[in-house]
Amino acid sequence: MTEITPEFIVLFLVNFISIVMLCYGCYFRTNKNATVAGSLVLFGIGIFLITYLLHGVDMSMEFAFGLFAVFGMLRYRTDTISIKEMTYLFMVTAIALLCAVSKLPTFELFLINAFLCFIAFLVDTRFFQGQHKIQRISYERIDNIKPQNKALLLEDLRDRTGLHVTNAEIEHIDFLRDTAELIVYYIPTPAQQTLATNRNNQVEANS
């Protein structure tokens, strides 16, 4: 029978601190979505408690990887989860299972979790992400999507959107309606970045 021991409390704190670092120090820093960040923290705590309390430190690795696969493939049916959020969900699951199953010393376990958080923090910086943003646009001037008219397409997108468009890719063409779905890459100005952040905060407050 699993008991609440000082070791359990220490592992719980390591798991909690690590997940908070990942969700708020990495994810929330760039996305400003408190709802998702808080949900990921609760998700990680739940996985840790279920894994540790049901089977303790003697649980089999097969069971741990089974849980890892189930939680890793989990998708909420009510809302669409982005690739980035699914990746953070995967990371939260990994940290929670690592804390519940691993027999490493506490300090080494915390260092591994801190290293994972550091990698996530580094990947989310502009050094790896770059300054480009993505916007999907329905475009009706079908003649401009031809390869020889690429310059005209980019210039038209800049004029009509006011964005510093650097590239555009065709995602889908509808010849019946003479429209195309474009993936537009642009570099936002500081004012646009501030406006986007304020809009996200307003949507979050209304929800």
Side-chain angles (χ1 to χ4, degrees), residues 13-34:
L13 290 176
V14 170
N15 176 72
F16 178 75
I17 294 172
S18 301
I19 291 177
V20 168
M21 288 170 51
L22 178 67
C23 295
Y24 285 94
C26 300
Y27 175 82
F28 184 77
R29 179 181 61 88
T30 57
N31 294 272
K32 305 300 181 184
N33 194 327

Side-chain angles (χ1 to χ4, degrees), residues 18-172:
S18 301
I19 291 177
V20 168
M21 288 170 51
L22 178 67
C23 295
Y24 285 94
C26 300
Y27 175 82
F28 184 77
R29 179 181 61 88
T30 57
N31 294 272
K32 305 300 181 184
N33 194 327
T35 301
V36 173
S39 299
L40 290 175
V41 171
L42 294 176
F43 191 84
I45 293 175
I47 293 176
F48 172 81
L49 291 176
I50 291 173
T51 306
Y52 186 92
L53 294 179
L54 289 183
H55 294 273
V57 295
D58 294 327
M59 69 175 293
S60 66
M61 290 302 297
E62 292 81 3
F63 181 82
F65 281 111
L67 280 178
F68 187 84
V70 170
F71 289 123
M73 293 185 295
L74 179 66
R75 292 186 62 89
Y76 296 106
R77 301 181 64 87
T78 54
D79 295 315
T80 301
I81 302 177
S82 67
I83 295 177
K84 185 173 185 178
E85 290 170 356
M86 283 295 295
T87 302
Y88 272 96
L89 180 64
F90 182 85
M91 292 285 289
V92 166
T93 305
I95 290 176
L97 289 178
L98 187 62
C99 291
V101 176
S102 177
K103 297 182 180 180
L104 291 173
T106 303
F107 181 72
E108 294 183 6
L109 181 62
F110 185 77
L111 283 182
I112 292 175
N113 291 342
F115 179 74
L116 292 176
C117 293
F118 173 75
I119 295 298
F121 178 87
L122 196 62
V123 169
D124 264 343
T125 59
R126 290 186 178 181
F127 179 77
F128 283 90
Q129 295 288 340
Q131 297 180 346
H132 286 81
K133 300 293 183 181
I134 296 177
Q135 181 70 45
R136 284 176 168 79
I137 295 177
S138 295
Y139 190 73
E140 83 286 0
R141 296 183 180 177
I142 203 72
D143 290 337
N144 286 349
I145 68 172
K146 297 177 181 178
Q148 61 268 28
N149 294 333
K150 184 67 172 291
L152 293 175
L153 172 63
L154 296 179
E155 186 63 30
D156 185 45
L157 290 172
R158 295 189 190 104
D159 291 339
R160 300 173 69 179
T161 63
L163 300 175
H164 181 37
V165 178
T166 59
N167 193 20
E169 296 178 356
I170 301 173
E171 186 175 35
H172 175 72

Side-chain angles (χ1 to χ4, degrees), residues 171-191:
E171 186 175 35
H172 175 72
I173 301 176
D174 188 344
F175 286 110
L176 292 177
R177 300 180 180 178
D178 282 340
T179 60
E181 298 295 325
L182 303 180
I183 301 177
V184 177
Y185 298 86
Y186 68 96
I187 300 177
T189 63

